[in-house]
Amino acid sequence: MTETIQKLRLELSQLSMQERAELAYFLIHSLDQDVDDNAGFAWNVELTRRMEVP
């Protein structure tokens, strides 16, 4: 773990539960920036395949 992360953890541990929840929400959603444009199509193909199986 880097020194920066260690400092952040110490500072963030002082936040209220609500503030930590808001930060967690932000961080989790910031990880979802890479969207696979083909994912929806791939799911449709898979769902169609599964519906065709007797």
Side-chain angles (χ1 to χ4, degrees):
M1 183 177 317
T2 67
E3 185 177 333
T4 300
I5 292 175
Q6 290 175 339
K7 287 179 183 178
L8 283 171
R9 284 180 70 175
L10 181 61
E11 290 184 40
L12 296 174
S13 68
Q14 304 303 311
L15 296 175
S16 69
M17 185 182 298
Q18 177 66 35
E19 291 170 321
R20 291 192 321 267
E22 290 174 11
L23 181 59
Y25 180 86
F26 165 76
L27 290 172
I28 289 169
H29 283 77
S30 73
L31 298 173
D32 290 336
Q33 292 182 6
D34 294 332
V35 176
D36 183 355
D37 294 330
N38 296 318
F41 177 75
W43 272 113
N44 287 335
V45 169
E46 178 62 18
L47 291 173
T48 302
R49 183 190 70 77
R50 290 182 184 196
M51 289 188 318
E52 292 173 351
V53 175

